[in-house]
Amino acid sequence: MASTSTLLIKTTFIILIFVSFTISSATSTVPDECASESANPCVNKAKALPLKIIAIATILVASMIGVGAPLFSRSVPFLRPDGDIFTVVKCFASGIILGTGFMHVLPDSFDMLSSQCLEENPWHKFPFTGFLAMLSGLITLAIDSMATSLYTSKNAVGIIPHGHGHGPANNVTLPTKDDDSTSAQLLRYRVIAMVLELGIIVHSVVIGLSLGATNDTCTIKGLIAALCFHQMFEGMGLGGCILQAEYTNLKKFVMAFFFAVTTPFGIALGIALSTVYRENSPNALITVGLLNACSAGLLIYMALVDLLAAEFMGPKLQGSIKMQLKCLAAALLGCGGMSILAKWA
């Protein structure tokens, strides 16, 4: 179900982006220079292409390392999912996701939808970014709640993790109170992993598309390093959620694969659309700006509600002020790192 939903959302947004960028802007009343290449000395298509190829390879490797590291942490004793170090690392990764929403995606959407290249009415008359981010957060809450209800009703007897439950001699496992509690938590982890992956995929396609379509070599060089760091630690946050969801190995691989290839695929798509895509054209500004606003609302909700709040209000951290301070410091470090990266990406 998670992999099917991921593929459907990804395909929908790719089609939306392609259609929006190939629509002619001839009927637009904005200045002509908004649909033309800027006179930037760093713009060099011949030199930009090799850098984009390097970006695809390096970001793919960084993404694979980030999302894969938590999935293999069970074989490392001090990184086991129920250990203190894993909890601190997960809070750091959650801070990365929160910083991405507030410091990268949301400001980009504000800049794009308030650009002078867009018509005064309606883009300068109404705060579309704030409205869509708010709406996206509420819709994510609804999806989160309804998906949990559907999972719960579908698995009314409960999902019994291996090694739990007690049954008679005929090997029929009967759920206990502890099993019910564990099953409910496992359902939450699965919903969180699914919804978080969808939000990250939308964001990853957009940033990959922007990098692939630009021919500014000065910008690309800075973005490669920044996006490698960003994708690696964002992948750690997602990988931790996938691990706790206890999916089958096949589902873990599919979810990790989609995360790892989405940004490189976005870059490749941007390269293919570079002949019709202009960063400051009205069609590009509106499409990417709206997608960024939706993605920001989803990422901020997931980071605050499903990741950080769930962790801090859980029994493990509530039983230790020292652990709360460690996790708070880790989350602040993650947010701070993404805030610094906002200077380049």
Side-chain angles (χ1 to χ4, degrees):
M1 177 179 179
S3 58
T4 303
S5 301
T6 299
L7 180 60
L8 179 61
I9 294 294
K10 182 177 179 181
T11 304
T12 301
F13 278 104
I14 290 174
I15 292 173
L16 175 61
I17 291 170
F18 182 82
V19 171
S20 299
F21 289 159
T22 53
I23 293 174
S24 172
S25 58
T27 58
S28 176
T29 59
V30 297
D32 291 338
E33 58 267 20
C34 289
S36 61
E37 290 278 9
S38 60
N40 187 340
C42 288
V43 174
N44 188 317
K45 190 171 183 178
K47 292 182 179 180
L49 184 58
L51 291 176
K52 294 175 188 179
I53 303 300
I54 293 173
I56 290 175
T58 54
I59 292 174
L60 177 63
V61 172
S63 299
M64 291 173 62
I65 292 173
V67 74
L71 300 181
F72 293 99
S73 63
R74 289 188 186 275
S75 59
V76 183
F78 69 91
L79 284 178
R80 64 188 188 278
D82 58 341
D84 290 349
I85 295 179
F86 183 86
T87 302
V88 171
V89 171
K90 186 180 176 184
C91 288
F92 171 75
S94 300
I96 292 283
I97 295 172
L98 183 63
T100 298
F102 272 118
M103 298 302 298
H104 292 255
V105 190
L106 198 62
D108 283 350
S109 180
F110 272 114
D111 288 343
M112 290 176 179
L113 297 183
S114 61
S115 170
Q116 294 303 312
C117 290
L118 297 182
E119 296 178 354
E120 183 73 16
N121 189 22
W123 303 106
H124 294 241
K125 300 289 186 180
F126 185 79
F128 283 98
T129 293
F131 175 74
L132 283 176
M134 173 186 69
L135 196 61
S136 175
L138 290 174
I139 291 174
T140 304
L141 170 63
I143 293 173
D144 202 3
S145 175
M146 288 187 286
T148 302
S149 298
L150 290 173
Y151 267 119
T152 304
S153 61
K154 185 179 179 181
N155 301 276
V157 177
I159 298 176
I160 311 300
H162 297 294
H164 293 274
H166 306 281
N170 61 1
N171 293 326
V172 176
T173 303
L174 299 177
T176 65
K177 278 190 174 181
D178 289 340
D179 291 331
D180 289 341
S181 176
T182 303
S183 298
Q185 185 61 55
L186 187 57
L187 288 171
R188 286 294 304 135
Y189 283 143
R190 291 186 174 182
V191 172
I192 289 170
M194 180 183 67
V195 178
L196 181 61
E197 168 123 347
L198 296 182
I200 290 177
I201 279 179
V202 175
H203 167 57
S204 297
V205 169
V206 170
I207 60 176
L209 181 68
S210 299
L211 191 154
T214 184
N215 290 316
D216 188 335
T217 56
C218 301
T219 299
I220 294 174
K221 290 175 183 177
L223 278 176
I224 292 175
L227 289 179
C228 284
F229 176 88
H230 171 273
Q231 289 296 106
M232 179 179 293
F233 287 103
E234 194 172 57
M236 288 176 62
L238 177 61
C241 292
I242 295 174
L243 177 66
Q244 290 181 313
E246 296 187 11
Y247 285 118
T248 62
N249 288 335
L250 178 60
K251 287 186 177 179
K252 288 178 182 177
F253 172 78
V254 170
M255 294 184 75
F257 173 79
F258 271 113
F259 168 78
V261 302
T262 301
T263 301
F265 181 82
I267 297 173
L269 184 64
I271 294 173
L273 294 176
S274 60
T275 56
V276 295
Y277 175 88
R278 298 291 181 272
E279 289 183 343
N280 56 347
S281 71
N283 289 325
L285 289 170
I286 293 170
T287 303
V288 177
L290 294 178
L291 288 176
N292 274 338
C294 294
S295 181
L298 191 155
L299 292 176
I300 291 169
Y301 170 87
M302 293 300 298
L304 285 175
V305 178
D306 279 341
L307 298 179
L308 289 173
E311 204 70 56
F312 276 85
M313 300 308 293
K316 184 171 186 176
L317 265 63
Q318 284 296 302
S320 173
I321 296 295
K322 185 178 180 181
M323 270 299 294
Q324 289 185 41
L325 293 175
K326 287 181 179 179
C327 288
L328 179 61
L332 288 172
L333 185 62
C335 290
M338 294 311 295
S339 300
I340 293 173
L341 279 180
K343 178 178 175 61
W344 296 282

